[in-house]
Structure formats: C-alpha cells, structure tokens
Amino acid sequence: MSSENRSRIDLERLPVHIAIIMDGNGRWANERGLKRIEGHKKGGDVVDDITTYARQLGIKYLTLYAFSTENWQRDPEEVSFLMQLLADFLREKREKILNNNIRLNAIGNIDDLPQLVKERLIAVMNESSKNSEMVLTLALSYGSRSEIVNAVKSILRDSSQGKISVDELTEQRFSDYLYTKGMPDPDILLRTGGEKRISNFLLYQISYSELIFVEKKWPDFTPSDLEEAIIEFQRRQRRFGRAKSII
Ligand code: IPE
Ligand code: IPE
Ligand code: MG
C-alpha cells in the first residue's frame, strides 16, 4: 500500500460498509494456462490481504461475495474445490480473525454448505461473536432473489400468527427479515473482473450504493486498488434523491 494514497483517503469520511463481488478467478488462471482452481487459490490469498487492509484502515463492515446460489451449477470438481478452499480458509484464518477483533458473519443458504464448512463457519462465527472492530461477512450460497422470497415467506408466516400486520410492514421492518438484518446498507459495491453486472447480489441493499467496477481480476486486486476505489467513492457526491443546492 502506498503511503501517498493513504494520505489521499479522508479518514473522517470512510465508507462504513464495503461489499465486493470477487470476480475473475477463472479467467485469471486461464490466461496463464492454469486450471480455474489455481485462480481460486490465489483469490483466497487476496481475501486475506484485503480483509487485513480494510481492518487496518477502520472499515466497519466488509462483505465478500464468495459463492452464489447459481454457482452450484458449475462443474462439480470446481464446486468441491471451492468448498474445500473455504473449509481451509476457516481453519487457517480463525486465529487471525479472533486476534484482530473481527466478527465473522455469513449470509446465504448456509444449510446448503457441506457439513465440514458449516461446522467451521458456525464455530468461528460463535467464537468471534463479541468482536467489535469489523464485521467480515461472507456471502455463501447467497442469492438476493431467494433472500427476498424467503423474507416474504417469513413475513406471511408471522402475519398468519398475528406477529405483524400489513400496516406494520415498513421498509425498516422488511429489511429485518433479510440476511443482512442489523447491517447498514453498503456504501460501496465493488466488482472486480471487468463485468458490469450485479449477479444476484444484495439487490435490496444496494439501492443507494456507489457502484465501482474495476477491470482487474480478483487474484490481481491489491490493497492499493481498494484505496483507489475508496478515493473514487470520496470524490462522488451522494444525493439520495435530493437536489444539490447550488447556492
Ligand atoms: C469468482 O471468480 C469466484 C466465484 C464465483 C466463486 P469466477 O470463478 O467467477 O471467475 P471468472 O469470472 O470465471 O473468471
Ligand atoms: C458472481 O460471479 C458470484 C461471485 C463472485 C461469488 P459469477 O462469476 O458467478 O457471475 P456471472 O456468472 O458472471 O454473472
Ligand atoms: Mg465470474
């Protein structure tokens, strides 16, 4: 990370929540004549670097899209490699997460994950539950449409049991039925790998997020690229639908 960039970040106006679609692992590997899984391996190291940097900078919420509901349709070999990588990540990074006062969180259909991944995930989530410096959220078997449909199903169930009425359903109450309950909406949604799409990520939550698309593929993404993204975010003017006063 360059100290020059660091001084260009206004620490008083840091984004509270950064969400990242970590894309481009497979293409990164293929470009090098490697198998896609090599890209995922390198991508795992980048997760560590970016998390460490975000924690040092003082980012409060970092949310990483690691596996989508649609990603189950990939070649079974790739899927099982990704699941093993996740299990290894949880074992290897457990101590670092705990020592750095990071709370691990997960969003998605966690029950779909292999038993070993699920056990390790829940164990680290429980052990880190009192940590307070940063919330690291992994989106695993996550799909925004399924999140929204599940929320509606829970609301209907609660409604039939008299726990919520039509008039009581507000935007705030609705968001409490999402996996992201209690989390602020992302200030930045960043996607690496050059594609300019959302791919079923946080559709409800990104209503007013600043979208940043970078060409670099995830295995090449560095802390200084994240700095650049934060600087870009700080250059933008967020209006949330209000008009900008010119006087
Ligand atoms: C992102 O990289 C990682 C996951 C989706 C698990 P990809 O695997 O999508 O890599 P590309 O986009 O095919 O290059
Ligand atoms: C989005 O990337 C999911 C993750 C990064 C985990 P994909 O590679 O699955 O998205 P598409 O297929 O390009 O839309
Ligand atoms: Mg991809």
Side-chain angles (χ1 to χ4, degrees):
M1 143 195 9
S2 79
S3 53
E4 188 205 329
N5 269 357
R6 187 159 215 180
S7 60
R8 282 158 61 208
I9 289 184
D10 179 352
L11 295 173
E12 300 296 312
R13 293 170 48 244
L14 281 179
V16 175
H17 184 176
I18 299 177
I20 305 182
I21 301 173
M22 308 182 290
D23 195 30
N25 292 352
R27 280 166 287 157
W28 180 92
N30 287 159
E31 277 168 10
R32 287 160 179 76
L34 303 169
K35 287 177 149 176
R36 292 178 57 85
I37 59 168
E38 296 300 325
H40 295 314
K41 241 192 249 176
K42 180 80 187 352
D45 298 338
V46 176
V47 168
D48 188 13
D49 296 345
I50 293 299
T51 304
T52 304
Y53 170 66
R55 165 69 184 79
Q56 281 168 358
L57 191 63
I59 302 301
K60 290 295 170 193
Y61 294 84
L62 178 67
T63 299
L64 303 176
Y65 201 7
F67 197 87
S68 74
T69 46
E70 290 74 25
N71 289 152
W72 292 111
Q73 292 159 35
R74 292 189 180 192
D75 180 33
E77 231 180 275
E78 180 172 348
V79 170
S80 71
F81 183 85
L82 282 165
M83 291 301 140
Q84 189 54 50
L85 197 66
L86 196 55
D88 294 346
F89 178 87
L90 291 165
R91 190 192 57 222
E92 286 162 20
K93 305 301 170 198
R94 175 188 165 273
E95 220 172 279
K96 192 165 174 184
I97 289 170
L98 298 177
N99 291 342
N100 284 282
N101 203 6
I102 294 171
R103 175 156 73 82
L104 184 71
N105 179 37
I107 56 174
N109 300 316
I110 300 309
D111 285 335
D112 293 349
L113 299 171
Q115 195 55 29
L116 178 67
V117 175
K118 203 175 138 181
E119 271 169 25
R120 287 188 187 166
L121 182 67
I122 291 172
V124 184
M125 281 167 60
N126 286 339
E127 283 180 288
S128 67
S129 66
K130 300 276 186 301
N131 290 356
S132 56
E133 264 321 306
M134 181 170 91
V135 179
L136 170 64
T137 300
L138 300 179
L140 299 170
S141 192
Y142 175 87
S144 198
R145 287 186 171 179
S146 114
E147 175 182 40
I148 292 169
V149 170
N150 285 337
V152 173
K153 284 183 174 176
S154 301
I155 292 166
L156 289 172
R157 251 180 251 118
D158 283 357
S159 163
S160 71
Q161 292 170 14
K163 292 181 187 161
I164 187 167
S165 71
V166 171
D167 291 339
E168 282 166 346
L169 187 61
T170 58
E171 289 182 11
Q172 181 53 50
R173 284 293 291 273
F174 185 82
S175 64
D176 287 346
Y177 282 90
L178 299 173
Y179 293 127
T180 48
K181 176 178 176 357
M183 290 165 69
D185 288 339
D187 299 295
I188 296 177
L189 174 71
L190 184 150
R191 180 173 188 143
T192 63
E195 309 290 5
K196 293 179 183 65
R197 56 176 171 254
I198 303 299
S199 301
N200 206 7
F201 194 40
L202 301 175
L203 298 179
Y204 186 85
Q205 298 87 340
I206 59 167
S207 295
Y208 272 105
S209 303
E210 292 299 326
L211 307 182
I212 299 183
F213 297 100
V214 302
E215 288 299 319
K216 265 200 189 179
K217 296 174 183 72
W218 180 251
D220 283 333
F221 195 71
T222 64
S224 79
D225 295 321
L226 184 57
E227 284 181 313
E228 282 305 328
I230 295 171
I231 290 163
E232 161 68 17
F233 165 80
Q234 293 186 331
R235 273 198 291 262
R236 294 191 189 175
Q237 193 201 39
R238 302 180 86 186
R239 288 194 284 280
F240 301 98
R242 293 178 213 112
K244 179 180 183 264
S245 165
I246 50 165
I247 40 167

